[in-house]
Amino acid sequence: MAVSRRQFLGTATALGGAVLLASPGAAHAITGSIPDYEPTRESLDTHPVARWYKDAKFGVFIHWGVYSVPAGSGRHIASEWYLWYQSYRGTDQWKYHRDTYGEDFVYDDFIPRFTAENYDPDSWVRLFEQAGAEYFVLTGKHHDGFALFPSKVTDRHSVAYGPGRDLVGELFAAARKRCTVRPGLYYSLGEFFNPAIGRPMRNFYTDEEIPLVGYKPVEDYIGDYELKQLYEVIDRYDPELLWADGQWFRPTGDPPWRSEEPMAHYYNQAKNRRRPKGVVVNDRFDTHYDFATYEQRTNPQMDPRKWECCITMGYSWGYNKWETDEDYKTSKFLIHLLADVVSKNGNLLLNIGPRPDGTIPGIMQERLRDIGAWLDVNGPAIYGSTPWVRAEEEGAQPGIRYTVTPGAFNVIVLGAPGGTLSLPGDIPISATSRVRLLGRGGTLTWTREDGRIHIAVPSRLPSDFANTFTVDWERRRA
Ligand code: GLC
């Protein structure tokens, strides 16, 4: 890819401000003497947000699992909740399942149809690269409890059943081979149905209790199963990011999740190595977090605390076969969203839902590639940027978003302005500043008049979606 791709393995970026901030002095980071994190909220709260994550700005979320097989019971329905919706007697979803598959066909009967036969992790990673994504987050285990990784505490996973493959391991290996996109893992703490959580699996038409495929009996859902799986994935895959979910499905008696324990282990194993690396966690572990999750919405304010907007392209997270092209957000919408989120100190985690055979629907690929093409040109204003004092100009048409990158002040115009671009006089520009348009050679003429800055906009612009005007930030000799 052209200009914008940044390799992430440089020590400086990997360590970044992250480790240095964690320690009282730089010398500690260099000698590796940061004290270990303790499994307490207080200790974990001293963990800094990894520099790479702050800089990355754009990631791909992947919802893939057994639920991708039925692929939704209707158009505007989250397919990964199929099992839960189906469990409510008399609802449309309950009827849909009965009418389509019959009363004797239970959710776990979908497992053999989750084949992953065309799953090509290398091509997934290449697609994420083309999208300009700097990380991805794969659903290691969603609320249906079916893991995409092998486990000692249960056989309910993709190696023992269904695909017969370690779907997580293969994608992580592909990403690490290419060193371009950082691998992250989603893990649902709670589950819809699990005897150990106090809700056994049932046939929802006869109400008969039925075995959960792969289940190995445990006493304590959290201690004997959930925490052990978290340790398994941390130790086996060494993810750059852990994304928790489903914390509201607590076991009977409402015990605490004790997430501080695996989290301290995760942070310690990331720093206690010859070449420490920065890792991050989201805010659904019910304890400390590095970034806040804004699900299907954005943060209207610039927020000094790092946050992430996760959003679907259509309505569903998992593949939903009922969705039509009109249900998809346009590339223009998604590019505007990315600029908006970044201007307010957020990251965008954009979701795709592969089919059960491992192929990624064309429209999802198209959206990702459109964003990538835009980032090829405008990436210098996105990656590694920080917000300016104002994120946007209210009421501006087309909309305007600001970012700051080393050496430049960036004005991202959400559209294709014509004639003159007029900006408030307080933007950082001095008599010697040069103004350029990303994706086009040469400098643009500009003037300061009536307390405003006026930039002459070329008649042909690089993008119909959004265009970036950058102002040299550094002082130059006249
Ligand atoms: C919610 C949903 C889940 C989805 C997630 C993504 O928590 O339960 O289906 O995975 O959000 O943000």
Side-chain angles (χ1 to χ4, degrees), residues 155-172:
D155 284 334
R156 191 172 177 76
H157 56 72
S158 63
V159 178
Y161 293 96
R165 291 165 69 175
D166 176 355
L167 305 177
V168 169
E170 289 187 30
L171 190 60
F172 274 50

Side-chain angles (χ1 to χ4, degrees), residues 292-303:
T293 303
Y294 281 70
E295 180 178 325
Q296 301 283 39
R297 68 198 170 105
T298 59
N299 187 341
Q301 308 290 330
M302 183 193 302
D303 195 337

Side-chain angles (χ1 to χ4, degrees), residues 61 63 80-81 142-143 186 243 245 248 284 295 310 317:
F61 211 172
H63 275 68
E80 74 286 358
W81 277 68
H142 205 268
H143 310 334
Y186 164 110
W243 212 103
D245 194 14
W248 59 87
R284 292 182 175 176
E295 180 178 325
C310 59
W317 296 94

